[in-house]
Amino acid sequence: MSTTYKVGIVGAGNMGSGIAQKMAQEKLNVVMVDTKEEFVERGMNAIRQTLQEAVERKIFTPEQVDEIVGRVKGTTDLNELKDADMVVEAIFEDVQVKGELFAKLDKICEPKTIFSTNTSSFYVASIAKFTERPDRFVGTHYFFHPAKNRLVEVISHEGTSDETVEKVLQIANMHGKTPIVVKDSPGFAVNRIFIPWYVEAIRVIEEGKANVATVNEATKHAFGIGLGLFDLWNMSGGTVIGLHASKSLGEELGSFYAPPELLRHQVEDLNSDFAIEGEVDKSKFDYIGQRLYAVAIGVACAQVDEGVASLEDVDRGTKIGLAWRQGPFELANSMGIDKAYQLVKELTERSDFKMPKLLEEQKKKGVPFEFNYVDLEVVGDIAYITVNRPEAMNALNPVVMNQLSAKFTEAENNSAVKAIAIKGKGKAFIAGADIKFFVDNIKNNNVDKTYDFTKFGQELLLKIEQSPKLTIAVVDGLSLGGGSEVALSCQAIVATPQGSFGFPETNIGIFPGLGGMFRIERHLGVELAKYYIFVGEGISAEQAYELGIVTRLVERAEVDQAIKDLAAKGKFDKYAAREIPDAYKAKKELMAGDNADKLLRGEKPSGVDDELAEKTLKRLSRKAPIALKMANELIEAQSKVSVEEAIKLELDRLHDIFATKDALAGLQSPGRPPQYKGE
Ligand SMILES: NC(=O)c1ccc[n+]([C@@H]2O[C@H](COP(=O)([O-])OP(=O)(O)OC[C@H]3O[C@@H](n4cnc5c(N)ncnc54)[C@H](O)[C@@H]3O)[C@@H](O)[C@H]2O)c1
């Protein structure tokens, strides 16, 4: 079974070595090529050094580092890339040098090999044309530091085939990236915003409206970034790159994007970056913020008008690539469309920037931008529904739930569809629900909203469970809470070894509210349901397979085939009786009879695995007692009634649990559970 891909990286510099590192971390086999041994060695050392820092921060052990480095083969011989699945080029930014390299690779590599360039400033098509395989040629634009920044822009030029884009997206996901698909266009998606944002900041200074330190500080406030605009630019190439990039954007797109005189002066006369100096004048923050919001929102709308990227991907690009707290469209929604329109209008009055159609229309409609977080694609007789909100690990909220429901209904009503597969985009399947939504509802005395959301979710999950079409969850990453509950509601689960399940709810003061308790109980019985719900212990895909929760456990490359096989086989009883493997018997006994009640009272039951009992008591002592008690009662009660009644029982306790002080305390510090008071 072929389980991983071989990827070649050409250029072992800042970007190449970082890309190679990240791929090796995520278990891809990498061959890294440079022109001289010393450059290869420098790249390998850069990888070792970054990983050493990760060891110091306890992210990796020294053994893991050896394993990762062992997956990168350094060489000066391009022939080693002959059988690679993909080759990523990260050499000097020179179109001729890149083109010549690809012409060579075109002769060396097998037809299956996909080529990609990490160019920042050239059209991908202008490099693809050096090869005989423009259909298997894309841009993959990574962001510094490529082992840490999750964003990659996948640029398909006019000749790129759909299969190529699919495979590149798959490889991007495999090495933990959040890919956004972008049209082959100047600055792609992120630099098209990042560069004029910098240029506008320089204009503010040039006009004498504020000094560098004030602008730098203002951007931290306005965009929620840890490093200010000039901190960032000074770290990533500074004025030299800024001048070059704004010149080329200006030539293609108009003088609004072109460098101001002050930037030219800074590079050509002073040969220096902007020193972050001067008194910070907070009274100017609003003004500066508005100038820069106008650029972000205006350019983002222009990009959507031009088909450069979707509105969701533009937001994603700035949030993941540039670490903005909100993307341009979210910013526009937050300030209101009228205000956003007004700011961009002022921008059109002081520059040659044209009012984008999208914003004009949105202003006429007078409603916020709507985001699409759930995609539906029908291939043959299978509908693929993808929750596409990777920046929030696909967390559920009312918008996502509504869209999931709409897409599910559409798939279910399509007579050509036999099976419906539900997946998550990026590294997670669905990591729970938006906790902020719950907190806001408690604080605003609006728990009815949480109730409505949960009821709607319960109804949808029941539809998924009882659909006449086979429903399949594809758990190829983390699933937690509501995400695990969506997976459990499906009639079948295909998981990869990267998949996992878990119920952390009692840790944050609540109980699982989307049917997870009774669905686990129907699979494993009351005792193990209590164990996993109380303890919140993660269940790996392998364990879930042993326990009969996962239907098929396959490697990533085999997921599609597994879905097709299940669809062809048709329906089966997912709750069929099963033998619980011996390895789980101690956990089962631990919760048997009145043991669970004893444990919840802090007493150690007798006749059970002593060590496990001690450990469980310790874990339970950190959880919210009321949530545990309600979960205990619910699991018992739900085990005795129909699914429909079980749902009702769960909903009936929802107001009670959200009324506890522990729920508010727990939901407000999800990473670090508070000391629960049992009230
Ligand atoms: N640095 C960034 O922040 C950033 C961000 C996105 C994209 N990029 C792009 O990534 C590419 C690489 O940038 P970098 O910052 O890593 O550059 P770099 O100068 O650090 O590294 C380039 C490496 O390529 C090697 N090289 C040059 N010609 C080669 C050839 N023909 N065959 C094999 N190796 C060759 C060089 O020896 C060097 O080690 C550029 O196209 C750049 O525009 C850079």
Side-chain angles (χ1 to χ4, degrees):
M1 179 159 78
S2 137
T3 55
T4 190
Y5 288 118
K6 171 175 170 180
V7 183
I9 309 285
V10 188
N14 289 321
M15 296 303 286
S17 64
I19 299 167
Q21 177 195 327
K22 180 64 181 162
M23 288 186 169
Q25 274 173 221
E26 302 296 332
K27 303 204 166 55
L28 291 167
N29 292 320
V30 183
V31 178
M32 184 169 73
V33 189
D34 209 303
T35 48
K36 290 189 181 164
E37 280 299 341
E38 60 185 282
F39 298 151
V40 173
E41 205 32 52
R42 189 181 56 195
M44 294 299 293
N45 282 337
I47 296 178
R48 284 189 200 103
Q49 198 188 330
T50 320
L51 288 170
Q52 187 48 39
E53 288 161 18
V55 170
E56 280 150 28
R57 291 178 27 232
K58 303 223 175 341
I59 297 169
F60 292 123
T61 62
E63 295 73 39
Q64 282 171 318
V65 167
D66 288 345
E67 225 182 88
I68 294 166
V69 175
R71 274 194 285 273
V72 184
K73 178 171 186 197
T75 177
T76 53
D77 184 4
L78 283 177
N79 290 305
E80 299 251 5
L81 306 182
K82 182 176 178 310
D83 60 345
D85 295 281
M86 179 173 174
V87 173
V88 180
E89 165 275 310
I91 67 169
F92 300 141
E93 189 70 348
D94 179 313
V95 75
Q96 196 58 33
V97 177
K98 285 182 191 282
E100 282 164 15
L101 167 73
F102 277 117
K104 255 192 235 163
L105 285 169
D106 204 20
K107 296 210 175 72
I108 293 172
C109 294
E110 292 173 3
K112 70 168 183 186
T113 311
I114 290 174
F115 290 164
S116 92
T117 171
N118 188 41
T119 182
S120 301
S121 52
F122 300 115
Y123 281 102
V124 171
S126 71
I127 307 172
K129 72 171 194 233
F130 285 86
T131 73
E132 303 288 328
R133 60 180 89 195
D135 56 319
R136 280 152 288 153
F137 201 108
V138 291
T140 46
H141 189 231
Y142 288 84
F143 289 76
F144 193 79
H145 184 293
K148 296 177 186 165
N149 193 315
R150 281 190 298 121
L151 187 72
V152 62
E153 294 176 305
V154 174
I155 296 115
S156 72
H157 70 95
E158 261 186 13
T160 311
S161 72
D162 290 348
E163 297 79 58
T164 299
V165 174
E166 264 317 298
K167 187 144 176 205
V168 173
L169 292 177
Q170 193 191 7
I171 293 176
N173 283 326
M174 284 173 81
H175 67 289
K177 294 288 159 188
T178 302
I180 60 173
V181 179
V182 182
K183 186 168 131 181
D184 194 12
S185 57
F188 308 132
V190 173
N191 281 344
R192 170 84 179 266
I193 293 178
F194 191 43
I195 293 159
W197 185 65
Y198 173 65
V199 162
E200 186 73 353
I202 296 169
R203 283 202 194 103
V204 169
I205 295 161
E206 189 174 68
E207 292 163 17
K209 301 271 182 5
N211 63 24
V212 178
T214 302
V215 173
N216 193 58
E217 206 56 34
T219 55
K220 293 190 199 170
H221 288 261
F223 293 89
I225 42 183
L227 289 174
L229 176 149
F230 286 102
D231 296 319
L232 261 174
W233 266 94
N234 291 356
M235 275 170 55
S236 58
T239 47
V240 174
I241 299 268
L243 180 66
H244 176 77
S246 57
K247 262 188 190 162
S248 51
L249 274 193
E251 280 159 19
E252 295 252 9
L253 301 168
S255 70
F256 159 70
Y257 293 89
E261 171 55 24
L262 179 61
L263 177 55
R264 193 209 56 74
H265 169 72
Q266 200 72 24
V267 178
E268 291 172 5
D269 305 337
L270 304 180
N271 188 22
S272 110
D273 282 338
F274 286 98
I276 304 172
E277 307 175 320
E279 245 339 76
V280 172
D281 181 350
K282 285 190 178 169
S283 70
K284 295 183 169 161
F285 281 10
D286 276 354
Y287 173 78
I288 298 164
Q290 297 197 351
R291 288 276 300 254
L292 298 177
Y293 287 151
V295 171
I297 295 167
V299 174
C301 291
Q303 287 186 304
V304 175
D305 276 357
E306 293 164 28
V308 171
S310 70
L311 161 157
E312 296 83 5
D313 277 350
V314 172
D315 267 6
R316 224 161 256 148
T318 52
K319 287 198 290 183
I320 304 174
L322 304 178
W324 289 6
R325 187 173 38 213
Q326 290 189 300
F329 292 99
E330 288 171 341
L331 283 169
N333 283 353
S334 296
M335 70 179 70
I337 294 299
D338 283 347
K339 173 85 180 166
Y341 180 86
Q342 186 53 37
L343 292 182
V344 176
K345 185 149 192 303
E346 287 164 16
L347 176 63
T348 64
E349 284 159 5
R350 61 172 181 267
S351 71
D352 68 348
F353 186 79
K354 301 270 177 308
M355 177 59 76
K357 264 208 202 84
L358 178 69
L359 188 55
E360 193 89 59
E361 282 163 15
Q362 207 68 28
K363 151 109 173 122
K364 273 192 208 136
K365 286 191 220 157
V367 293
F369 287 107
E370 220 178 87
F371 304 113
N372 182 30
Y373 291 128
V374 184
D375 302 327
L376 168 65
E377 191 191 9
V378 177
V379 184
D381 55 8
I382 300 173
Y384 294 87
I385 293 178
T386 307
V387 182
N388 186 355
R389 202 185 167 215
E391 64 281 11
M393 293 177 90
N394 302 321
L396 300 170
N397 64 16
V399 176
V400 176
M401 198 68 101
N402 277 321
Q403 292 183 0
L404 182 60
S405 171
K407 292 287 156 67
F408 182 76
T409 306
E410 190 181 334
E412 209 181 32
N413 290 343
N414 183 337
S415 59
V417 167
K418 251 170 75 181
I420 302 170
I422 301 178
K423 321 193 224 187
K425 185 104 167 185
K427 262 199 131 176
F429 173 66
I430 297 172
D434 264 351
I435 288 180
K436 188 172 176 300
F437 170 69
F438 297 145
V439 172
D440 290 348
N441 291 344
I442 297 176
K443 287 187 171 167
N444 302 328
N445 248 334
N446 251 335
V447 174
D448 281 352
K449 274 196 183 172
T450 303
Y451 182 90
D452 293 344
F453 165 72
T454 311
K455 184 163 183 283
F456 183 83
Q458 287 274 23
E459 284 161 3
L460 172 61
L461 267 51
L462 188 62
K463 250 177 94 177
I464 292 174
E465 184 157 56
Q466 298 180 344
S467 173
K469 319 236 157 153
L470 183 75
T471 52
I472 307 165
V474 182
V475 182
D476 176 25
L478 178 79
S479 83
L480 278 180
S484 295
E485 295 179 292
V486 172
L488 283 168
S489 76
C490 289
Q491 297 164 22
I493 301 178
V494 172
T496 69
Q498 289 76 20
S500 67
F501 305 80
F503 297 94
E505 282 87 346
T506 55
N507 225 16
I508 51 171
I510 55 175
F511 57 74
L514 287 176
M517 293 187 287
F518 70 78
R519 290 197 172 96
I520 276 277
E521 183 275 320
R522 273 150 174 76
H523 271 294
L524 307 179
V526 166
E527 300 85 357
L528 280 178
K530 287 187 179 178
Y531 180 81
Y532 286 114
I533 302 292
F534 292 179
V535 177
E537 183 172 285
I539 310 172
S540 70
E542 281 97 344
Q543 292 167 333
Y545 181 66
E546 284 175 1
L547 288 164
I549 296 170
V550 162
T551 327
R552 291 282 162 88
L553 179 65
V554 295
E555 295 293 338
R556 278 184 170 144
E558 277 94 41
V559 165
D560 276 340
Q561 195 53 47
I563 296 172
K564 284 181 193 144
D565 291 348
L566 284 174
K569 269 184 86 176
K571 297 197 160 250
F572 62 96
D573 176 13
K574 68 173 178 179
Y575 294 133
R578 74 206 60 181
E579 189 66 31
I580 298 292
D582 285 347
Y584 301 86
K585 296 250 159 87
K587 291 175 179 167
K588 197 171 160 159
E589 279 159 16
L590 182 69
M591 294 288 167
D594 61 357
N595 288 353
D597 298 312
K598 285 193 178 144
L599 286 163
L600 294 191
R601 288 198 300 268
E603 296 163 19
K604 193 160 78 179
S606 52
V608 296
D609 180 325
D610 204 54
E611 207 183 313
L612 181 66
E614 291 284 357
K615 199 167 143 199
T616 305
L617 275 172
K618 210 162 156 197
R619 286 161 119 177
L620 296 185
S621 71
R622 292 194 287 263
K623 311 232 163 201
I626 303 175
L628 285 172
K629 184 168 172 283
M630 285 192 195
N632 191 26
E633 290 162 7
L634 278 167
I635 293 171
E636 286 288 345
Q638 288 178 314
S639 72
K640 301 183 178 95
V641 297
S642 71
V643 168
E644 287 79 1
E645 285 166 308
I647 291 174
K648 190 167 176 315
L649 289 174
E650 215 168 283
L651 285 170
D652 283 349
R653 304 304 294 273
L654 191 125
H655 275 97
D656 297 343
I657 192 68
F658 278 96
T660 63
K661 287 194 181 140
D662 283 352
L664 182 59
L667 289 162
Q668 278 182 302
S669 59
R672 219 167 6 95
Q675 187 60 49
Y676 288 112
K677 301 212 170 75
E679 48 190 39

